[in-house]
Amino acid sequence: MLGQGHSGRRTPAGGLGARTCGRSRISTRGRWIVDANGDRFKLRSGNWHGASGTWNGSGSTGEDANHHAGENSGRIPLGLDRAPMAEIIAGFQEIGINSIRLPFSNEMIHDTVPVTDDAVAANPSLRAKTPLEVYDAVVRELTAAGLAVILNNHTNTTRWCCGVDGNERWNASQSTGTWENDWLFMARRYKDNQRVVGADLYNEVRRNVWDDPNWGLGDNHDWFAASQRVGDRILTEADPDLLIIVEGINWTGIPVDGLPHERPTLEPVGRLSHTLVDSGKLVYSAHFYDYTGPNHSGATGTGETSDPRYRDLTSAELIDVLNRQAFFVTAEQDQHFTSPVWISEFGVGGRDETGGKQRAWFQNFVDQLIRTDADFAYWPLVGWHEGRKGNGWALLHWDAAGDRMGLYDGDDWRAAAWTRLIGAQGRTGRVDPVTNWSMLSPDHGDFVASRRMRALPDWDLGARKAVCPDGQRLLGLSHTGNRGLCSDVSTVLDAVGGHEVVVDERHVTPGQDWASGYTKLQCPAGHFLTGHSVRGSAVSAALCAEAPSGSIPGTTGRTVWFDRGDNRGSAPKGGDFAHGHYKGQCADDEYAAGIAFTGRVGSARTPDALYCRTLR
């Protein structure tokens, strides 16, 4: 039944109501998410939590008091004991939601214990089902109602997140292999449902008792490498249509004054970004709450430091911090990291939240979301209430009798800000295809972003190999550090024939020595440079792909030296793809046809020059 104060189904002024994502799945073009027709599809999302667990980790799981805020989800999305699923979903549509972030735990996938009758009291058709079978039903009903669903691996174990709880990393309470296999299982499970659109790989990666996660060190705690690998596996082995959503690092360091500690969020992306096998599938995400801060864990008491929380910042200070930590990814165009950013969690207390700083923070944060035309997901959508009292953070609450307390009942101070957010005028309509800029980072192993080359045998056994995504060409290299830059700027160069691995100077034309005294690995005529390999820091081979006939002309070009400083032109695009290292880059209307290096005494055989030729 609908609760007191409910005035029927409504859409806030300027809202989108139950807008769907169209007839097929979504992808990205630069900083925008688009539907199958190339039109902007803004994620106006909410989190329907519960399937990842609400148990606090001590005491009986059957006692509500041992669950977060006393809300016992029963190992399934919260509220199914209190309201029919159709009513809950109608509530989402009423407040303007078009997509749902649906958390799950790895334990939930393998849990064979049926849910209790009490947990699904308002949905008797779900009795005797396992948590995964209930999750299936929720996905089915959400998408049937026209809502897009993003699968979110929230925790390893089915318990409340997010402290030092065994869920700090994707492999905190399980192996990385189990985590990857579970993702392949889930992606395949919903592959045929065209409104299951995203894989949100893991929630709030953070420090455990002994160690920090990192972004690019190549060890067992390397979140960049783990998310890169599982993202590619999902696209190549399970479902090529899913968005791959990578959250930044939530916390590193020990939260004690005088010791290093911070919330890196997406700042590392500026120096090291993902390149998936399919361009147009990467989305970054970040979380922001008033009680946390750029150097504040959010704790009260143990773990609390003197650092400011986000709510302590002025509006100008907050904007500056938010842009630095996340929004630069969308604001800066034509960079290797340019992608959509989904603020997949933000929220604040409702009716009983009287704190001036908390309320001001929410208003300021909503302003930032509107100003940046950002994709977002409120946390949480569903909660409990008794006598209009309870946790209060949710936008929709149900009591034990099934009476609903809604955002638009007239007494929730958040309603005006939410209406502004849902109804904000942002970009709509067609988004034209954009130039892709992609970083190659064979720092600790192979970095092959080409589907074509992945399907072929190892072309330089024992070396670390880096290959551009199909349709892109190598345009830049770093003198040291092994990084590369790929793009499809000016034209898409799809390989039409075979490839050649070049390890000597056999294709250097007599009389056209473009790097005298240096070893030159030059592509044959009609080929372009699409990858390279290294052993240690030394160049091992150049990978050349055959271009369509007539698409790359001639045999002359220019030498771009970068052994003594950057040489990337006056206004290079793509961004700093090898921070702290000298870099060379061909112009936008060129392609790279060769790499030069020297083996003389004192040299490490690292790249010194590129041979750049003009397109057409």
Side-chain angles (χ1 to χ4, degrees), residues 70 126 146 168 207 338 349 408 419 499-500 512 566 568 615:
L126 300 178
E168 301 89 348
R207 182 185 176 89
T338 303
Y408 289 106
T419 299
H499 66 276
E500 182 173 336
Q512 294 185 7
D566 272 10
R568 298 191 293 148
L615 288 162

Side-chain angles (χ1 to χ4, degrees), residues 558 560 566-573 585-588:
R558 67 183 181 103
V560 174
D566 272 10
N567 189 356
R568 298 191 293 148
S570 59
K573 298 175 184 175
Q585 187 169 326
C586 298
D588 291 357

Side-chain angles (χ1 to χ4, degrees), residues 160-172:
W160 184 254
C161 173
C162 293
V164 182
D165 53 12
N167 293 306
E168 301 89 348
R169 297 186 316 276
W170 62 100
N171 57 2

Side-chain angles (χ1 to χ4, degrees), residues 433-484:
V434 299
T435 295
N436 294 294
W437 296 90
S438 305
M439 174 188 285
L440 296 181
S441 53
D443 303 6
H444 307 289
D446 286 355
F447 200 94
V448 179
S450 163
R451 282 180 173 268
R452 183 176 64 90
M453 293 307 300
R454 280 172 171 249
L456 298 176
D458 191 328
W459 51 272
D460 194 358
L461 193 64
R464 302 194 312 280
K465 293 162 285 294
V467 186
C468 295
D470 296 333
Q472 297 186 34
R473 63 190 186 277
L474 191 67
L475 274 184
L477 282 177
S478 59
H479 175 55
T480 55
N482 304 310
R483 299 275 178 86

Side-chain angles (χ1 to χ4, degrees), residues 270-271 335-336 438-440 475-486 558-570 572-587 606-610 612:
R271 296 187 177 185
Q335 307 292 300
H336 61 80
S438 305
M439 174 188 285
L440 296 181
L475 274 184
L477 282 177
S478 59
H479 175 55
T480 55
N482 304 310
R483 299 275 178 86
L485 180 70
C486 307
R558 67 183 181 103
T559 304
V560 174
W561 293 97
F562 51 95
D563 55 333
R564 298 182 182 181
D566 272 10
N567 189 356
R568 298 191 293 148
S570 59
K573 298 175 184 175
D576 188 346
F577 61 91
H579 183 78
H581 302 268
Y582 297 150
K583 294 166 286 291
Q585 187 169 326
C586 298
T606 60
D608 293 310
L610 281 172
C612 300

Side-chain angles (χ1 to χ4, degrees), residues 105 228 412:
S105 73
Q228 171 74 41
D412 193 325

Side-chain angles (χ1 to χ4, degrees), residues 256-408:
V256 174
D257 285 338
L259 295 178
H261 53 267
E262 65 174 333
R263 188 178 304 280
T265 318
L266 292 175
E267 290 186 64
V269 173
R271 296 187 177 185
L272 179 60
S273 63
H274 295 73
T275 297
L276 299 173
V277 293
D278 296 320
S279 299
K281 288 300 178 183
L282 175 66
V283 173
Y284 284 113
S285 72
H287 296 174
F288 293 101
Y289 292 100
D290 73 272
Y291 60 86
T292 60
N295 297 93
H296 200 298
S297 70
T300 300
T302 303
E304 185 174 10
T305 64
S306 60
D307 303 289
R309 302 173 190 259
Y310 290 113
R311 68 185 180 219
D312 297 324
L313 304 177
T314 67
S315 178
E317 290 170 337
L318 180 63
I319 291 170
D320 181 66
V321 169
L322 294 175
N323 288 340
R324 187 187 78 234
Q325 291 198 299
F327 289 87
F328 75 93
V329 176
T330 59
E332 299 181 34
Q333 301 302 299
D334 287 319
Q335 307 292 300
H336 61 80
F337 55 75
T338 303
S339 301
V341 170
W342 184 39
I343 305 302
S344 54
E345 285 188 27
F346 76 103
V348 72
R351 291 162 175 79
D352 293 334
E353 179 54 81
T354 59
K357 284 188 174 181
Q358 288 88 334
R359 289 192 172 199
W361 172 85
F362 188 69
Q363 299 286 355
N364 289 335
F365 192 77
V366 165
D367 287 343
Q368 173 75 355
L369 294 176
I370 294 172
R371 183 184 307 111
T372 58
D373 199 3
D375 300 86
F376 59 84
Y378 185 87
W379 181 283
L381 288 176
V382 176
W384 289 3
H385 82 96
E386 292 301 330
R388 303 185 74 79
K389 298 290 184 180
N391 180 19
W393 277 62
L395 299 182
L396 303 168
H397 297 80
W398 280 266
D399 68 13
D403 292 329
R404 197 191 80 170
M405 178 174 70
L407 175 67
Y408 289 106

